[in-house]
């Protein structure tokens, strides 16, 4: 019972992680333009936001499903945030890319800048995941469909803890692979195109979410 339930839950969760979305685009752009520390901090912010939704699902507070007004507000807020994020990506694509140099030794000022950049990355990652209502609906639906009603709180806590660290590990591994020197050299040349494409996709997603809410 425990193994089959966990495998179903973990498999569905990993498939969701592997599908590109706003968080993936944020990590890709952030790691290329701002470096590994920014990307890893964004990964932590994304994991924390996912952890909040996981905790709400575990506690049984299906707020987004039971409150149409809250769901509507989250969807409008998410559409505005995605549109803003897409605009920022497209605007950033006009600036020359100053990519991180893995061999450069940072001085005191660079280390201070890295610290502030990491804080900005964590905030960006946190709000990117928190303002995506699909994350909340996904976790609520996942626990409802795949976790038996008689599953004890200890097992549910284990499921939630595993999913939190799975999100963090997946995103951190993605950032580390992107920030490799060879990958940076290859993708860096295409960074403006990547940012324009990502910005366009985010703005389309924002428009689609807004139209679905207005319909």
């Amino acid at each position: 019972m425990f193994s089959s339930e966990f495998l179903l839950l973990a498999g569905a969760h990993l498939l969701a992680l592997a599908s590109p979305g706003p968080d993936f685009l944020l990590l890709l752009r952030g790691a290329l333009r701002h470096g590994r520390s920014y990307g890893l901090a964004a990964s932590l912010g994304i994991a924390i936001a996912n952890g909040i939704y996981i905790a709400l699902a575990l506690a049984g507070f299906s707020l987004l499903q039971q409150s149409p007004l809250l769901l509507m507000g989250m969807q409008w807020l998410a559409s505005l945030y995605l549109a803003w994020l897409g605009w920022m990506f497209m605007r950033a694509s006009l600036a020359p890319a100053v990519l991180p140099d893995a061999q450069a030794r940072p001085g005191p000022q660079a280390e201070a800048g890295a610290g502030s950049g990491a804080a900005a990355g964590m905030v960006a990652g946190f709000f990117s995941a928190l303002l995506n209502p699909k994350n909340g609906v996904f976790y609520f639906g996942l626990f409802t469909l795949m976790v038996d009603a008689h599953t004890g709180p200890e097992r549910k806590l284990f499921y939630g803890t595993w999913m939190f660290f799975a999100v963090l590990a997946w995103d951190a591994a993605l950032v580390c692979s992107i920030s490799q020197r060879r990958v940076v050299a290859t993708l860096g040349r295409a960074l403006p195109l990547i940012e324009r494409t990502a910005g366009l996709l985010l703005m389309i997603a924002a428009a689609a979410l807004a139209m679905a809410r207005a319909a």
Side-chain angles (χ1 to χ4, degrees):
M1 173 66 179
F2 173 75
S3 60
S4 61
E5 184 178 76
F6 174 71
L7 288 176
L8 286 174
L9 191 72
H13 187 231
L14 287 176
L15 286 175
L17 288 178
S19 59
D23 295 343
F24 173 83
L25 297 175
L26 177 69
L27 291 174
L28 176 63
R29 185 257 178 185
L32 284 175
R33 185 169 284 275
H34 301 296
R36 182 179 296 181
S37 61
Y38 181 98
L40 291 177
S43 300
L44 180 58
I46 291 171
I48 291 173
N50 276 264
I52 291 174
Y53 282 123
I54 292 170
L56 289 174
L58 285 172
F61 300 143
S62 302
L63 298 179
L64 294 180
Q65 291 177 322
Q66 296 181 2
S67 175
L69 290 178
L70 180 59
L71 179 60
M72 181 187 302
M74 286 291 291
Q75 287 178 329
W76 279 113
L77 189 60
S79 65
L80 291 174
Y81 179 76
L82 289 179
W84 174 82
L85 192 61
W87 169 250
M88 294 297 292
F89 277 20
M90 296 187 75
R91 191 177 71 171
S93 69
L94 302 176
V98 181
L99 298 178
D101 186 354
Q103 294 182 347
R105 295 185 64 183
Q109 293 182 349
E111 291 177 356
S116 61
M122 181 180 292
V123 171
F126 176 78
F127 282 106
S128 176
L130 188 69
L131 295 178
N132 186 354
K134 290 183 180 179
N135 286 336
V137 175
F138 169 75
Y139 285 114
F140 291 139
L142 198 66
F143 278 102
T144 300
L145 293 174
M146 296 189 176
V147 178
D148 189 85
H150 300 291
T151 299
E154 295 82 5
R155 289 186 180 180
K156 290 180 181 179
L157 180 61
F158 170 76
Y159 295 162
T161 303
W162 184 90
M163 286 191 286
F164 170 83
F165 283 105
V167 171
L168 180 59
W170 178 275
D171 289 342
L174 177 65
V175 168
C176 289
S177 64
I178 291 172
S179 58
Q180 292 295 322
R181 188 172 181 82
R182 294 180 187 176
V183 179
V184 169
T186 301
L187 294 180
R189 291 188 291 269
L191 181 57
L193 178 60
I194 292 173
E195 287 181 324
R196 283 194 293 270
T197 303
L200 180 61
L201 290 175
L202 288 171
M203 295 181 79
I204 291 174
L209 184 59
M211 287 189 293
R213 184 64 267 170

